Structure formats: structure tokens, C-alpha cells
Amino acid sequence: MSEPATHEVEYRLARLRDRLAGDDVAELGVRVELRGAAVLLSGTVPTAARRDEILRLARIELAGLTVFDDLASASTDAPERMEELP
Amino acid sequence: MTPAPAARQPDGAVRVAAVGDIHLSPDCAGLLRPAFATLPECADLLLLAGDLTRHGTVDEAVVVADEVRDLGVPVVAVLGNHDYHSDQEADITRALAAAGVSVLEGQSVTFSVAGHTVGVAGAKGFCGGFAGRSAGAFGEPEMKAWVRTAHIGAERLSTALEELSADRCEVRIALTHFSPVPDTLAGEPVEIYPFLGSYLLAEAIDAVGADLAVHGHAHLGTEHGRTAGGVRVRNVAQPVIDRAFALYQLPVHGHGSGM
């Protein structure tokens, strides 16, 4: 597959961001950025299932591009420490 | 910092647990409950800083309500932009209230903790930007409405904080969803700061006074900040604190000096 034109990639990233922020997904905390010729997805989402859903959409929207996945799910553990404010 | 949050608090201190942006939906039922169940051992109250649901539906709010019902500590919440997405914010407020949560939008609530009066003033707030880099109420009606909404949010917070002053609360906490300061947005793209908070909230906090300001909304931001008047600000968005909640111990030394 030939390399997509740079401006086309930029608009495809914008479309993915729009789709993630849209009605059905409602995930505004995901960062979508170019890293060389690949696309990096990063940020923290509530559950592993949401992460899988975002990656599935990204692979559809960004078909033909390499997607690097750096999405994490937030810890749901109680904290080990308390901040003492003076 | 202390390694033992479960220890009894020293006399004259209030322990506050806080989290925002939990974005729950029916597939997440029970996700935070095990951690929340430990709250009576480590905190005097729990603050929820908005974006409690994913799409702002009542079904999702019921999941949130079940997560915090009968915890054994008071629970105080503000709603966030996600909780307004389906125009069901009034029903969401009722669903949370039915589980004992105090949902604030321009109101305050006070509690007695070990003989001290602790007050929380809450409002969702809105975006608009920070001093010198904010939108003005000029031009199209949409632009004016946007800026007016930011002013209304700050006025509601101010009203609620004034109630706490009138009640002579010894510890005063300002709870919002949007950020009052840019400090706690560090990590977010600078270009979107105007969508993440408003300096009008910080101006209200500094004018009336508070001992701590807690907010969410900025998932890529950082936890610690201060207002220009010196009030400590904490971004407790769950992706930022990377825990079920954050814990803060505030000293009780009379009326909040704002410093």
C-alpha cells in the first residue's frame, strides 16, 4: 500500500478524534497523535473493555496506518497514602 | 504524606476523599465499590467532582448511585459535562439524591466532623479560559451565551461559598467539575485550555475564601495547583490520580484564610 498523503492523514486523525468524542463512544480523554508515519493512541480510560472498543474504532478509521496503543485503564484501588495539607 | 491512611486522624484534622471523571455505565457496575467500602476507615467524607456517567443517562446514574449508597461517610457531588449530555441532569440529580448523595449546583452542605464544621460549596462551573487568554462576551449570540454560562457558573460557586462563610465553617471546600486554574491542566494541549476551565471560578474562590478547591475534567492534567490567592487546587480526575479516590488531610485552624 502506498503512503497516504500527509494532509489526508491529518484529517483522518481529526475524524477519529471526532468519532471518539461523539455520542456513542463519549471518550474525550484519548490523545491521538502522529509518531513518524504511525499513530499513537494514549490516555487513560475506565475499563479494559472501553480500551478495546477505542482500538477497534481506531483500526477502522485508520486502516492502512500503523497504530501504536499506549492506552491504559485507571486503577480502581484505594490509595496507599494521604496528602497532608499544612 | 503518611503511609497509613487508615490510621485515626489527629484531633483538628479533616480527611477528604475525592474523585471525578469515573464515567460509569452499566458495564462498570461494582468497579469502584470495593475501594469505596474502605472509606469509613480512612476518610470523613467523599467528594465526586462530576462526569460520573458516560453519556449522562439515568441508567448510568443508577450505577453511580449503587456504587456510593450506604458507604458510611457523607457523599457530596457536582455533575460534569458528560452528566448533561442527554438532557437528563435533573433526573440524574434525583437518582443520586435518592442514594443519599448531596448534589450541588450553586448550593452548599455542611457536616460536623469530630466537633468541627466542614462545608462544601459546589457548582459544575464551565469553560471560557484563563486570565488574559479567555473568551469575551462580544459578537454573535452564541459567543455571548458561552461566556455568560461561564459567569453564571462562577456566580453559583460564589453564592455557595458565601453560605459557608455565613455558617462560620472551620473548613471550606470548593467543589467544581471544570478547573479554576491552568496549573492542574499541565499535560493537556495548551490550545484546549479554554475548554477545560475558567479563571472566573478561581476569582470567586479567592474573593470569598476556601481551604481547598477540588475539580476534575482534565484527564491529561496534573493533580496539584494553586489559585492566584494561594488556595490549594487538586485535580482529582480518576485518570490523573490513577486510584479509586485521592485522600487529603486538612488541618482545622479556624475560618479558612484562603492561604
Side-chain angles (χ1 to χ4, degrees):
Chain A
M1 182 176 284
S2 64
E3 285 282 298
T6 310
H7 71 271
E8 187 205 336
V9 170
E10 196 172 313
Y11 294 133
R12 288 178 71 188
L13 297 196
R15 276 201 298 275
L16 173 62
R17 289 189 197 102
D18 262 3
R19 184 148 181 205
L20 294 181
D23 242 357
D24 47 345
V25 192
E27 203 62 69
L28 282 71
V30 175
R31 188 174 274 201
V32 181
E33 293 170 324
L34 266 183
R35 286 288 188 275
V39 182
L40 172 68
L41 300 189
S42 59
T44 304
V45 296
T47 62
R50 299 263 178 97
R51 176 176 162 271
D52 294 344
E53 185 184 347
I54 291 161
L55 286 175
R56 186 183 61 78
L57 280 173
R59 293 197 168 110
I60 295 168
E61 289 282 341
L62 305 176
L65 293 167
T66 303
V67 175
F68 293 148
D69 160 31
D70 204 13
L71 292 170
S73 46
S75 166
T76 54
D77 295 340
E80 300 84 23
R81 57 186 192 174
M82 175 177 313
E83 182 185 357
E84 286 181 29
L85 303 177
Chain B
M1 296 286 185
T2 158
R8 290 287 302 167
Q9 83 266 38
D11 287 339
V14 172
R15 303 162 307 166
V16 177
V19 65
D21 304 81
I22 52 180
H23 294 285
L24 297 181
S25 56
D27 60 310
C28 311
L31 191 65
L32 297 170
R33 184 73 191 187
F36 284 168
T38 68
L39 281 167
E41 298 153 30
C42 62
D44 300 305
L45 71 162
L46 170 66
L47 306 180
L48 299 175
D51 276 6
L52 311 179
T53 65
R54 189 175 179 191
H55 304 95
T57 65
V58 174
D59 285 355
E60 294 171 349
V62 167
V63 175
V64 178
D66 288 343
E67 217 76 359
V68 298
R69 190 188 310 275
D70 300 326
L71 276 184
V73 297
V75 182
V76 185
V78 294
L79 301 186
N81 52 308
H82 279 250
D83 307 316
Y84 276 68
H85 182 66
S86 300
D87 299 320
Q88 296 177 23
E89 62 274 10
D91 292 327
I92 288 174
T93 297
R94 275 190 283 276
L96 293 173
V101 179
S102 302
V103 184
L104 306 178
E105 178 54 31
Q107 300 99 358
S108 66
V109 61
T110 61
F111 305 97
S112 180
V113 175
H116 303 292
T117 312
V118 178
V120 182
K124 175 174 65 65
F126 197 56
C127 46
F130 298 92
R133 292 159 179 84
S134 59
F138 185 86
E140 303 90 329
E142 292 83 356
M143 200 67 200
K144 290 174 189 158
W146 192 54
V147 174
R148 192 169 60 243
T149 306
H151 279 274
I152 290 168
E155 283 159 18
R156 287 179 180 166
L157 181 64
S158 182
T159 302
L161 284 166
E162 280 164 4
E163 287 175 7
L164 298 186
S165 291
D167 288 345
R168 306 185 72 77
C169 283
E170 293 162 275
V171 174
R172 295 178 290 174
I173 301 165
L175 175 63
T176 60
H177 177 61
F178 285 86
S179 178
V181 295
D183 305 26
T184 46
L185 307 182
E188 296 278 2
V190 176
E191 295 87 344
I192 70 165
Y193 278 23
F195 304 110
L196 299 177
S198 166
Y199 77 96
L200 298 168
L201 297 169
E203 192 177 25
I205 290 164
D206 285 338
V208 189
D211 299 289
L212 177 67
V214 172
H215 74 87
H217 192 53
H219 293 201
L220 300 169
T222 49
E223 186 179 358
H224 290 220
R226 287 237 191 188
T227 66
V231 176
R232 284 182 178 78
V233 180
R234 296 292 180 266
N235 175 0
V236 297
Q238 204 202 353
V240 171
I241 59 174
D242 199 28
R243 286 290 179 275
F245 51 88
L247 279 172
Y248 307 106
Q249 181 170 291
L250 283 80
V252 178
H253 39 50
H255 305 289
S257 63
M259 299 301 284

